């Protein structure tokens, strides 16, 4: 099995936890005491979203990887943006949360959310091909509901102070969520919550507004 950065040990995911207990944020529950990384996923993605995602996988155990806090992700992204030049086409991918669910030592489902600086620019969104694939939420946010099987992607402009002038349009943020067991609505809930968590820590000159609802097709 492929290991991502900072992979955690397997922990028991109590999928029947009450929503109220998940939202309480207290550390006294068995789940939070055994799985601090799962708690970090809840902070990034929303506790009810994580619970719903785990239920779709059909597993009784979950192995959690990634999950640095939003401010750590933002710091890495900002440092990378300040070093960026227009000729740079390679960007680091940062895993916010990866949850591999198991049933009898067999992976029953995986949920993965990540962020990186995109190789796509906002300018390419106006091409006929991209207009069919992408939905525009507002002037700085675009969503691609199906860039690949069981995936969803969001692009958001974020002007980072101290970067070159073309950075906001030519180096937007790219958020991805993947999970075969997730439906479109739940993918969007996870993706939008993750994007809001990271953007809130980015100190963008003009913070992008992540909509509550998935933008409708044009």
């Amino acid at each position: 099995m492929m290991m991502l950065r900072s992979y955690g040990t397997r922990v028991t995911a109590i999928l029947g936890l009450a929503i109220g207990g998940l939202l309480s944020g207290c550390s006294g529950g068995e789940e939070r005491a055994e799985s601090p990384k799962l708690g970090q996923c809840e902070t990034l993605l929303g506790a009810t979203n994580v619970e719903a995602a785990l239920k779709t996988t059909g597993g009784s155990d979950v192995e959690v990887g990634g999950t640095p806090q939003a401010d750590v992700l933002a710091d890495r992204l900002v440092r990378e943006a300040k070093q960026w030049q227009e000729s740079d086409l390679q960007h680091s991918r940062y895993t916010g949360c990866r949850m591999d669910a198991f049933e009898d030592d067999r992976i029953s489902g995986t949920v993965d959310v990540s962020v990186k600086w995109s190789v796509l620019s906002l300018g390419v969104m106006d091409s006929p091909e991209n207009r069919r694939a992408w939905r525009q939420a507002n002037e700085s946010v675009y969503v691609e509901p199906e860039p690949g099987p069981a995936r969803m992607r969001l692009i958001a402009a974020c002007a980072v102070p101290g970067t070159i002038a073309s950075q906001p349009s030519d180096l937007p943020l790219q958020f991805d969520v993947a999970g075969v067991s997730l439906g479109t609505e739940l993918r969007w809930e996870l993706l939008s919550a993750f994007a809001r968590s990271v953007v809130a820590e980015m100190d963008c000159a003009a913070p992008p507004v992540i909509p509550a609802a998935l933008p409708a097709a044009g």
Side-chain angles (χ1 to χ4, degrees):
M1 179 173 59
M2 183 178 295
M3 293 295 182
L4 298 185
R5 66 186 79 219
S6 302
Y7 223 72
T9 56
R10 188 178 304 177
V11 295
T12 300
I14 304 174
L15 303 182
L17 284 174
I19 291 176
L22 284 167
L23 293 175
S24 66
C26 63
S27 60
E30 180 182 357
E31 178 63 32
R32 289 189 182 276
E34 293 184 359
S35 179
K37 283 186 172 292
L38 190 60
Q40 291 176 353
C41 285
E42 292 172 356
T43 300
L44 282 172
L45 309 176
T48 56
N49 292 335
V50 168
E51 182 191 28
L54 288 175
K55 282 183 177 179
T56 70
T57 64
S60 57
D61 297 334
V62 61
E63 191 165 271
V64 185
T67 64
Q69 292 297 282
D71 59 341
V72 176
L73 290 169
D75 181 66
R76 294 174 182 175
L77 290 162
V78 167
R79 281 191 279 117
E80 188 176 344
K82 288 182 177 180
Q83 297 171 359
W84 177 75
Q85 298 296 319
E86 291 179 339
S87 58
D88 297 338
L89 298 179
Q90 296 294 322
H91 309 306
S92 298
R93 175 183 179 271
Y94 303 105
T95 299
C97 174
R98 179 182 172 109
M99 298 178 288
D100 287 318
F102 290 81
E103 186 63 37
D104 297 329
D105 291 328
R106 176 184 61 85
I107 294 181
S108 59
T110 295
V111 176
D112 185 282
V113 296
S114 63
V115 61
K116 61 179 289 187
W117 291 110
S118 184
V119 296
L120 300 173
S121 69
L122 294 188
V124 306
M125 299 300 171
D126 289 330
S127 70
E129 180 181 354
N130 284 320
R131 279 201 298 267
R132 288 191 295 269
W134 292 83
R135 302 179 186 180
Q136 185 173 9
N138 51 58
E139 63 182 8
S140 59
V141 175
Y142 292 81
V143 180
E144 190 176 19
E146 293 183 279
R151 303 188 70 86
M152 185 176 287
R153 178 168 294 162
L154 183 150
I155 296 288
C158 171
V160 176
T163 60
I164 61 178
S166 62
Q167 180 268 313
S169 61
D170 289 350
L171 190 73
L173 291 166
Q174 176 179 309
F175 300 91
D176 289 272
V177 61
V180 172
S181 64
L182 307 173
T184 299
E185 183 177 348
L186 185 51
R187 279 194 201 103
W188 170 251
E189 292 299 327
L190 292 164
L191 182 64
S192 58
F194 179 52
R196 279 191 288 270
S197 293
V198 175
V199 164
E201 300 292 339
M202 286 291 296
D203 195 26
C204 307
V209 177
I210 311 301
L214 178 65

